[in-house]
Amino acid sequence: MDIKHLIDYYAHASVKFTDVFTNKMEPGQVDKGRTTAPGKCGLVVPLAGNAIFSFNGTPYAMEPGMVVHAGPQMPIEIRASDDKGWEYAVVHYQLSPEESILYPLSTQHFLINTGYHTKIIDYVQQLIESQAMPGNMSIFKAKTLFMNLLEAILMSAKVKVLDTASDQMEQALQYIHENYATQLSVSKIAEEFGVERRRFAYLFEQHTGMNPSVYLTEYRIRRSKELLKYDDSPVAEIAECVGYIDCFYFSRVFKKCTGMSPTTYRKTMLEEAKYL
């Protein structure tokens, strides 16, 4: 789930907390033949153990640190792991019928990777306690706690995405440094990491401050400058060594980046070396 779309959804939809409950299952226990509640959306929050939780036949391997959203009246099947018990909470909320049409996420199931945060568990426990108390003040408190829970889930998911993207972009940098001499392109790098090209370019620029195409070019030119300075190979061979088959194209790119041709750069470096 794209965290931006999720934030947009909860920012604009008039979500209304309805109820919360918890359930425990023994190791290896299976629960099936039921559906999610009619007219309600649900957030499944793992509390302990792990299980395979399926909605409409789509399985999610769940454990603390993950939250799954489900829409109304979806067939469910739960299989607790064989070695551990499984405990989870379901937080229900509603939208008006009109808004359910405007916000299709409300009727879908999807995973929200939050990472393990005690704040999320604390809000769920407080919701359970508040729901058990009588009076309007408890109802008001439950509304507030529900919004706090949503905020904690969204903020944790956003941080998780940024951390994951940062690790991925570090790996992408390493990949460029190891493969710059091949026929590398931004599309090929994005494909290597399973990210759509425009999304990859956005994440890369957020991480490095540079467009990936510009970074690849500048890294190749930097490597070629080292070779021109310390290697006597012809310019055409050096071009190939840094990923350029077309020597003339390499020369144009080199001049654009450095202000001089590869040959002039080499001569300049040789002249400077005489006075060192």
Side-chain angles (χ1 to χ4, degrees), residues 37-150:
K40 297 180 181 179
C41 308
L43 292 166
V44 181
V45 183
L47 301 177
N50 50 71
I52 303 297
F53 214 120
S54 300
F55 297 97
N56 283 343
T58 301
Y60 295 93
M62 296 191 64
E63 61 185 8
M66 300 176 179
V67 174
V68 168
H69 180 279
Q73 290 187 293
M74 291 182 172
I76 60 174
E77 180 177 307
I78 312 168
R79 294 180 178 271
S81 66
D82 293 333
D83 58 337
K84 292 181 180 179
W86 164 246
E87 184 177 359
Y88 64 97
V90 177
V91 181
H92 283 134
Y93 70 91
Q94 285 180 324
L95 274 72
S96 67
E98 296 78 16
E99 284 201 309
S100 295
I101 297 172
L102 290 174
Y103 301 104
L105 283 184
S106 64
T107 61
Q108 297 175 13
H109 55 81
F110 49 83
L111 176 69
I112 309 170
N113 191 348
T114 62
Y116 184 77
H117 290 277
T118 56
K119 184 182 289 186
I120 293 173
I121 306 300
D122 288 344
Y123 281 136
V124 170
Q125 298 293 351
Q126 290 180 58
L127 261 179
I128 294 168
E129 293 171 8
S130 180
Q131 182 178 255
M133 299 294 290
N136 288 331
M137 195 62 200
S138 294
I139 295 173
F140 174 76
K141 185 177 181 181
K143 289 181 179 180
T144 304
L145 286 168
F146 174 66
M147 297 309 294
N148 288 341
L149 173 63
L150 280 181

Side-chain angles (χ1 to χ4, degrees), residues 189-253:
I189 302 168
E191 183 180 350
E192 179 72 21
F193 288 89
V195 182
E196 190 271 329
R197 187 189 186 284
R198 285 178 296 179
R199 175 68 176 167
F200 175 81
Y202 169 78
L203 292 174
F204 191 94
E205 189 162 352
Q206 289 292 305
H207 184 70
T208 65
M210 295 177 67
N211 176 282
S213 180
V214 173
Y215 183 92
L216 176 59
T217 298
E218 291 197 3
Y219 188 80
R220 282 170 163 167
I221 296 304
R222 189 160 67 247
R223 297 294 295 160
S224 69
K225 287 165 71 175
E226 294 174 5
L227 292 172
L228 288 165
K229 187 175 180 180
Y230 300 110
D231 194 309
D232 294 331
S233 299
V235 172
E237 289 185 16
I238 288 176
E240 288 188 22
C241 286
V242 295
Y244 292 96
I245 295 177
D246 187 335
C247 179
F248 295 104
Y249 178 67
F250 164 70
S251 296
R252 289 200 300 272
V253 173

Side-chain angles (χ1 to χ4, degrees), residues 257-270:
C257 292
T258 66
M260 61 184 79
S261 69
T263 302
T264 302
Y265 177 83
R266 171 177 271 169
K267 289 179 179 179
T268 302
M269 291 299 102
L270 288 174

Side-chain angles (χ1 to χ4, degrees), residues 17-29:
F17 170 72
T18 59
D19 61 274
V20 58
F21 71 87
T22 60
N23 190 29
K24 292 182 179 180
M25 295 175 63
E26 297 299 319
Q29 184 180 345

